[in-house]
Amino acid sequence: MRYGRWGGLLGAGVVLACTGTFPVRAAVYQEPYGINSWDWSSSAVNSAFIAAGIKHARLMVHWFGHQTGPTTYDWSYTRANLQRVRPHNLKVTLALWGYPDWARQNPAHQMSCDPSVFAQFVTNLLTMCEQEYPNGVVSFEWN
């Protein structure tokens, strides 16, 4: 029998639910709330997030908009967002997405860049972030 993508996991959950009790441990998070945004432009909104207990911001970073050529960078979008969250002391996760056309080794495949090119972009991005908002960026992810 084939379960499909989620069938096996759902079946396991049903079995666990039907077998009685099992230990559940809740993690204790120091800062459990965060918010995702493309544009952190409003100080009033950022203040409302803080009042609601939100202490973590997820900033979207589009690679193709920040590096228009192999050595050409424009950090203005992310720099502006960092400047907007910094006064509120929000911790930041950078969510990287998109590939610039110039970086693709195969134009038909988006994820075809040389890993060292991507690593250089990430290194330069994190260097800029550390200069703009020291210790503010706590993680990054690739979407």
Side-chain angles (χ1 to χ4, degrees), residues 93-107:
T93 292
L94 301 174
L96 283 67
W97 67 282
Y99 284 80
D101 289 337
W102 65 264
R104 296 180 190 174
Q105 293 177 333
N106 180 343

Side-chain angles (χ1 to χ4, degrees), residues 90-142:
L90 293 167
K91 293 301 179 187
V92 173
T93 292
L94 301 174
L96 283 67
W97 67 282
Y99 284 80
D101 289 337
W102 65 264
R104 296 180 190 174
Q105 293 177 333
N106 180 343
H109 297 284
Q110 201 176 60
M111 296 179 68
S112 63
C113 75
D114 180 336
S116 66
V117 172
F118 178 71
Q120 186 61 55
F121 171 75
V122 171
T123 299
N124 291 338
L125 171 65
L126 293 175
T127 299
M128 181 279 298
C129 289
E130 187 61 21
Q131 292 167 351
E132 193 63 47
Y133 186 10
N135 301 312
V137 174
V138 296
S139 63
F140 80 92
E141 61 187 59
W142 178 251

Side-chain angles (χ1 to χ4, degrees), residues 31-42 44-60 81 84-85 88-95 138-139 141:
E31 297 177 3
Y33 304 112
I35 193 87
N36 183 60
S37 181
W38 288 88
D39 189 17
W40 294 85
S41 60
S42 170
V45 170
N46 291 339
S47 295
F49 290 153
I50 294 300
I54 295 169
K55 299 179 181 179
H56 198 105
R58 183 172 179 251
L59 303 181
M60 304 304 287
N81 282 324
R84 291 175 186 132
V85 300
H88 304 281
N89 242 3
L90 293 167
K91 293 301 179 187
V92 173
T93 292
L94 301 174
V138 296
S139 63
E141 61 187 59

